Amino acid sequence: MNKSVRLLVIDDSDADKLHLSRALNSSGFLYELTELADATSLEEISSQVYDCIFLNYLIDNDNGLLLLNTLRGRGNKTPIIVIISHNTESAAPGLIRAGATDYINKSEISGHSLGKVIRNILKVNEIVSARQDAESALQTSELRLAELERIAQIGNWEFNVLNNNFYCSSQIYQILGIQNSYTATVDKFLEYIHPDDIELVQSTWKHVFSEASINISFRVTTSSGNIKYVNVFAYATRNKEVIETIRGTLQDITEKKLAELEIVKSKELSENSMKVREIFLANMSHEIRTPMNAIVGFTRLLYETELSKEQKSFIDAIHFSGENLLAIINDILDLSKIQSGKMMIEKSEFNLQELVAGIISVLRPKAREKALQLNSKIDQHIPSVLKGDPLRLNQILTNLVSNGIKFTERGSVALEVNLVTSEDKEILLEFKVKDTGIGIPQDKQALIFEDFVQGSSDATREFGGTGLGLAIVKNLVELQDGKVSLHSQVGIGSTFIVHLPYEKVNQDAVYTSESPAKDESLELLRGADVLVVEDNAVNQLLVKKVLDKMGCNIDIATTGREALDCVRENRYDVILMDVQMPEMDGNEATRQIRKMPSPIADTPIIAMTAQAFASDVSECIAAGMNDYLSKPFKPQDLYAKILKYIAAVDHTKVISLNQKGFKIDLNVIFELGNGDSAFINELILVYDKQTPAFVEKLRAYTKSHNFAAIKSVCHQIKSSYGILKMDELDRVLIDINAALEIEKPDAEIGKITSLVNVIISLISAINEEVKRELRKTG
Ligand code: ADP
């Protein structure tokens, strides 16, 4: 059944109202009718919902128009049908303009006509309410969008390329601090871009026409003068390849950007402070290690002198404290090296058994002092030669085993190496360091791997230490892709477990370690010419003492500049070069030496420095040094380093001539002699006799211009000295031969004379050197 229609009739004529209600009765609609005689109760009209209002135009003597205006003025949207009579028809257009939905002539009112009017009105109402729903939905979504834009601080905009129209949402006005009444034009908006970013915006904006989209962040100056960071995203829409509009968003990213800048700033700050820390540590290490070097070195030398019991105990104390202090400095340096990412993990072949045996033999005296058992066991399935970083492994295990000894009063410390997995190219090893010591409380176990953390202050007082050892162990293990863990029980003991991967190597390959110098090879040091470049008088003395013991010939230069003078005048088998020196530092001196003629330039140079960073080492190597020895050094290490280079020089000795160095090769002679000293002595005699004879002949024949004879002598010289493979002599002999071959050698007598002089000095020098060298071994 039809719903009843709610109708209002405003009419002051009872006859008209009766007529209307009659017609309504026969309209076929169910209806509820409210009747008002005048417009005095407007409140009531507005408060009720009607489907339609019938308003008599002639109410109160044609006040219908006024009432209509009032109703519409109050926002009443109910359809209003104005009832007119045939003599008021002319008012109809004015009524429609004033908001009447329709009008009907009183004489035409019938059930049929009203039914038609009501049907139309209901249809219109339906349409209107659908439109209202749509409008309110649109309004809601616009509000939501605006709210969203407000929260995200992002606005949207659109630029019509064809007519230059520019729209932007209110959030953009908000971001730029512009009054909303502002009429947007692109040019106006460009004025807000920060002057320093205009170029950036322009150059990026160009791409909006060719690329799918652009994204650009820049600064704007808002109308109140604040600087904000915004991000603009834009893309073009096309109609058949013609760009019609460019749309996009503008987001306020100030907070994010400021946070980013803050991060960059603090990163720079922390990098700077890292650098400052590193420089400080490098300097500190130099400053502390230099005197430490002297203390530890001289203490070692003192041990070798005649000492009373009391003196020996004092020296023991100095030695112990010195070594301890050095260990602490080294720990601090190591940790800072690791933390600044400068710790290099090397890969070289090493023998695990030798490494473990070395650690045990170094730490055994300490264990013995405390009457502790110190054992080691290596799983026999582990190959003896592995590839990895032996130095770091040594450091890790030494740390753990010495902690074991330090924190154990009774019982044993054991180092065990087990094979965990073995694959094609890699094996995983487990190192277990087990002690029967004081143990570590559960709540401290996770902490002790942190820097400067110690188990308990009692233990610190009793055992000393810095709390850095385990932090270094953990860092070193993790740098090598391993892990470290711990099982410990107070009063029972601790077991530290380290897992580390190593590369497998061909076990047949010959393994040579750079082991400390063996006694027999130390003999090679006897007579070696060593230049020590060192500004610190104490260190000079120390190095000299250590090298004197081996019978080396030592020259000392106190600055880089002095070192340059020394190498110009003498030949050295090796140069020990301090790095930090006044006037000219070791790196610069090395660079200068490397620029000198051969063989001076080829002299092995070993850096000897108290600085310990990898970057310092690489700087020395970059300057041209061959090797590096960190101070304080053990005499054995110094010997081993020098030997490495002396052995390389072997019997190929260099001689100096007119401050120019030339190389002669005595290998053939040694091979021929094969230890036969009679042969060598005879050879010396031959050279010694022959050389002055050649010199004399050359002088005489040059004086007499006897070119054929000069040529013949030169030929003999070539056969006699050729065996020494001296390039310079060979070259001069070729040159003189060429000068003698020309038609009139007389014309070239000046040149020939000077070549003869060079030959004379060369063979004289060779003779001297051969004598000196052969006598050493002969
Ligand atoms: P340090 O030994 O210099 O104090 P470490 O980092 O090597 O520093 O060790 C940190 C702490 O861990 C030690 O102070 C000690 O309390 C505890 N610790 C380390 N190893 C052992 C161990 N084997 N037994 C008992 N406690 C240990």
Side-chain angles (χ1 to χ4, degrees), residues 403 406-407 435 439-440 448 453-455 465-470 494 496:
N403 269 355
K406 186 158 117 181
F407 296 105
D435 65 54
I440 302 161
I448 54 165
V453 172
Q454 298 183 311
T466 53
L468 287 177
L470 289 179
S494 312
F496 284 84

Side-chain angles (χ1 to χ4, degrees), residues 328 331 399-408 413 433-441 444 447-457 459-460 463-473 486 488 493-496:
I328 293 170
D331 274 1
N399 242 312
L400 294 178
V401 177
S402 13
N403 269 355
I405 298 172
K406 186 158 117 181
F407 296 105
T408 303
V413 178
V433 180
K434 191 171 176 186
D435 65 54
T436 57
I438 59 171
I440 302 161
K444 293 277 165 22
L447 295 175
I448 54 165
F449 291 100
E450 307 276 315
D451 316 352
F452 300 106
V453 172
Q454 298 183 311
S456 74
S457 46
T460 315
F463 303 105
T466 53
L468 287 177
L470 289 179
I472 292 172
V473 165
L486 157 72
S488 184
S494 312
T495 306
F496 284 84

Side-chain angles (χ1 to χ4, degrees), residues 215-253:
N215 208 328
I216 170 176
S217 298
F218 56 94
R219 282 165 296 174
V220 290
T221 311
T222 67
S223 55
S224 56
N226 291 333
I227 291 186
K228 284 187 177 175
Y229 288 86
V230 295
N231 177 266
V232 164
F233 169 79
Y235 65 96
T237 58
R238 292 174 169 77
N239 184 4
K240 292 185 194 133
E241 292 307 303
V242 178
I243 293 178
E244 284 187 341
T245 53
I246 298 167
R247 297 202 179 100
T249 54
L250 180 145
Q251 184 172 22
D252 183 350
I253 53 164

Side-chain angles (χ1 to χ4, degrees), residues 136-279:
S136 99
L138 186 67
Q139 209 176 10
T140 312
S141 83
E142 269 177 2
L143 282 173
R144 280 198 191 126
L145 180 66
E147 181 63 3
L148 201 72
E149 290 198 345
R150 193 185 63 75
I151 295 168
Q153 304 197 53
I154 188 167
N156 74 88
W157 53 266
E158 184 179 313
F159 174 58
N160 187 321
V161 179
L162 306 177
N163 61 16
N164 272 355
N165 271 350
F166 186 58
Y167 156 82
C168 44
S169 69
S170 63
Q171 189 55 36
I172 293 184
Y173 291 99
Q174 198 74 31
I175 292 170
L176 298 177
I178 308 172
Q179 296 297 324
N180 235 345
S181 55
Y182 192 99
T183 331
T185 64
V186 172
D187 288 344
K188 273 277 171 215
F189 273 86
L190 295 182
E191 287 172 10
Y192 286 84
I193 301 172
H194 191 283
D196 294 348
D197 289 348
I198 287 178
E199 228 177 279
L200 170 82
V201 175
Q202 282 172 342
S203 64
T204 315
W205 181 253
K206 287 194 298 229
H207 301 296
V208 80
F209 301 100
S210 52
E211 285 174 20
S213 65
I214 60 161
N215 208 328
I216 170 176
S217 298
F218 56 94
R219 282 165 296 174
V220 290
T221 311
T222 67
S223 55
S224 56
N226 291 333
I227 291 186
K228 284 187 177 175
Y229 288 86
V230 295
N231 177 266
V232 164
F233 169 79
Y235 65 96
T237 58
R238 292 174 169 77
N239 184 4
K240 292 185 194 133
E241 292 307 303
V242 178
I243 293 178
E244 284 187 341
T245 53
I246 298 167
R247 297 202 179 100
T249 54
L250 180 145
Q251 184 172 22
D252 183 350
I253 53 164
T254 311
E255 274 177 36
K256 192 174 138 223
K257 196 76 194 175
L258 291 180
E260 269 173 23
L261 290 175
E262 200 53 41
I263 292 171
V264 170
K265 228 183 354 246
S266 52
K267 197 166 156 251
E268 271 171 14
L269 203 72
S270 87
E271 275 170 2
N272 275 345
S273 59
M274 224 30 179
K275 245 181 237 153
V276 170
R277 202 170 85 140
E278 194 181 306
I279 293 168

